Amino acid sequence: MEIWKRNMIVLAFGSFIVMSGMTMVVPFLAYYIQELGVTDPDQVGIWTGVVFAGNFVTAFIFQPIWGKWADRFGRKIMVIRSGLGMALTVFLMSMATSVWHLLLLRLLNGVVSGFNPAAVAIVSAGTPKKHMGFAMGIIQSGTVAGTILGPFIGGVLAGWIGYRPLFLLTGSLLLIATLLVMLVVKESFNREEAREKAVASVRHGLGILMNIPQLPAIYAVSFMIQFSLLSSMPLLPLFIQNFTGLEKAAFFAGVVGAATGTSNMLASPLLGRLSDRIGANRVLQACLIGAALVLIPQAWAPNVGVLIALRFLQGMFMGGLLPSVNALIRLHTPDGMESRAFSFNASVVSLGNLIGPVLGGVLAVWIGIRGIFLLGGLMFLVNAWWVHRSLVSRGAERWTSDRS
């Protein structure tokens, strides 16, 4: 097997393990916080939000720093660093004796994170450009599969083995994924040549990337994608409750999430391969329009069956978003700065993950849950216009000439 294909498969599997490990905590986080001594329902809700968001806050700050060092010392070592660091912090979460311990460990987990951006950088640097979209789609499938199955596995195992042993299991999975990368992944990286180059500061590196016209547009797209998706996601169970009642809401919320994630996982490699043929910029624009056209009708879904169908279609269009973004980042990034470019994008994604649910909850007070769907659809359409203006009209010729 060619090295780039082997790296792609191993790192997609590693991304699956990392994301499943990181999302296993979602179903029982509030219960674990209660086990740590927080009993007031209002305080439990506040602490759950704070602890969950802590990871994104520090990840947003530290991703560019790790990206800088990845471009200097190699991307594989950054994957290993992140994997071992997250394994250790998750192991320690099983020993937390207070909610403050858990919060500090979640913050630390965000500090050492960076597995996925570094993995994407390795794959993008070693993959022939004519296969870039396909490779990004495979990586995205691994990430999404972990995001889908993680909460399900966590919910099942938490009732079977308990909360603390589940943290130990998650840490073990992270360690296995890291060891697999150490043994199998081969990186083409000249450390001596990289060390001889002047090391730009994080601010200077950002300045260089921001002077490339397409990259600020791509980063804006990444933020708006995450914001649009996450602004409505926490409100979905409440919306579903209107159709099913409280008793069945949790089950159907899981079905809706699984439908979206499954179609996303299946569509990502197919749309990635299509982007290799016609250009990632065109696939990105088409998927943004498609996502808008299936998100807006969800505001008027008459029953949960129609909602599931629309969310399944939305997942298909979502499957072309982040792989196209990653392919475009690699296309427009100067050689030697790939890790920084992907790390800045990861920071933007973390910011969207953080702001989207919070602002969506606030806006829902004024415009309602249905209004959030409409707002998200409108943002996708604005995104599509921005992609056409900033990328499609400028980048078609370059994509054709550079894809070989």
Side-chain angles (χ1 to χ4, degrees), residues 80-370:
I80 295 170
R81 172 205 58 77
S82 176
L84 293 177
M86 289 191 295
L88 178 60
T89 56
V90 172
F91 276 132
L92 293 175
M93 287 179 193
S94 69
M95 306 173 192
T97 58
S98 75
V99 71
W100 282 104
H101 292 165
L102 186 61
L103 174 60
L104 290 174
L105 288 169
R106 285 283 294 180
L107 291 169
L108 180 59
N109 192 71
V111 171
V112 301
S113 66
F115 187 102
N116 288 343
V120 170
I122 291 175
V123 173
S124 72
T127 301
K129 288 187 177 180
K130 63 182 179 180
H131 299 302
M132 189 65 66
F134 173 70
M136 294 299 101
I138 292 294
I139 292 289
Q140 175 71 3
S141 291
T143 301
V144 172
T147 305
I148 297 169
L149 294 177
F152 174 75
I153 296 171
V156 172
L157 293 182
W160 182 30
I161 64 175
Y163 306 141
R164 295 181 186 273
L166 187 52
F167 280 113
L168 296 175
L169 175 62
T170 301
S172 299
L173 290 174
L174 291 169
L175 185 59
I176 290 171
T178 306
L179 293 174
L180 190 61
V181 171
M182 293 174 64
L183 296 174
V184 179
V185 170
K186 303 296 181 184
E187 180 187 18
S188 177
F189 185 84
N190 191 325
R191 290 184 175 84
E192 296 301 323
E193 181 180 325
R195 288 173 183 172
E196 290 175 359
K197 294 180 180 178
V199 181
S201 66
V202 172
R203 178 181 295 180
H204 183 57
L206 179 61
I208 294 173
L209 295 174
M210 290 298 100
N211 283 327
I212 301 169
Q214 293 85 357
L215 287 180
I218 296 170
Y219 291 153
V221 167
S222 290
F223 173 79
M224 292 180 70
I225 287 171
Q226 293 304 113
F227 182 89
S228 301
L229 294 176
L230 271 294
S231 60
S232 62
M233 194 168 292
L235 303 170
L236 264 180
L238 298 175
F239 188 62
I240 293 169
Q241 185 179 326
N242 295 329
F243 302 125
T244 64
L246 181 59
E247 293 182 357
K248 298 181 179 179
F251 169 76
F252 280 104
V255 172
V256 167
T260 307
T262 300
S263 60
N264 186 317
M265 181 177 62
L266 295 175
S268 289
L270 300 177
L271 292 172
R273 192 177 292 277
L274 178 63
S275 75
D276 289 329
R277 296 176 56 193
I278 67 173
N281 42 17
R282 299 187 185 281
V283 171
L284 178 59
Q285 182 185 25
C287 287
L288 286 167
I289 295 173
L293 294 179
V294 297
L295 182 58
I296 291 173
Q298 292 175 38
W300 294 284
N303 54 61
V304 71
V306 172
L307 183 64
I308 290 172
L310 290 171
R311 297 294 287 190
F312 182 86
L313 291 174
Q314 181 180 326
M316 294 182 65
F317 289 113
M318 287 165 51
L321 297 181
L322 293 183
S324 297
V325 165
N326 286 332
L328 288 167
I329 290 173
R330 179 64 189 93
L331 176 66
H332 295 292
T333 299
D335 291 340
M337 296 192 70
E338 297 92 346
S339 295
R340 262 175 286 193
F342 285 117
S343 294
F344 282 125
N345 190 62
S347 287
V348 169
V349 168
S350 294
L351 187 63
N353 289 338
L354 182 63
I355 295 177
V358 175
L359 192 55
V362 173
L363 291 176
V365 175
W366 284 283
I367 63 177
I369 297 176
R370 297 179 189 274

Side-chain angles (χ1 to χ4, degrees), residues 25-36 38 44-45 48 163:
V25 69
V26 173
F28 66 87
L29 180 59
Y31 306 130
Y32 190 50
I33 287 173
Q34 293 179 67
E35 187 176 288
L36 293 175
V38 181
V44 170
T48 300
Y163 306 141

Side-chain angles (χ1 to χ4, degrees), residues 60-73:
F60 168 73
I61 296 171
F62 281 89
Q63 294 281 12
I65 298 173
W66 296 126
K68 168 187 171 181
W69 293 113
D71 285 332
R72 182 165 175 80
F73 297 107

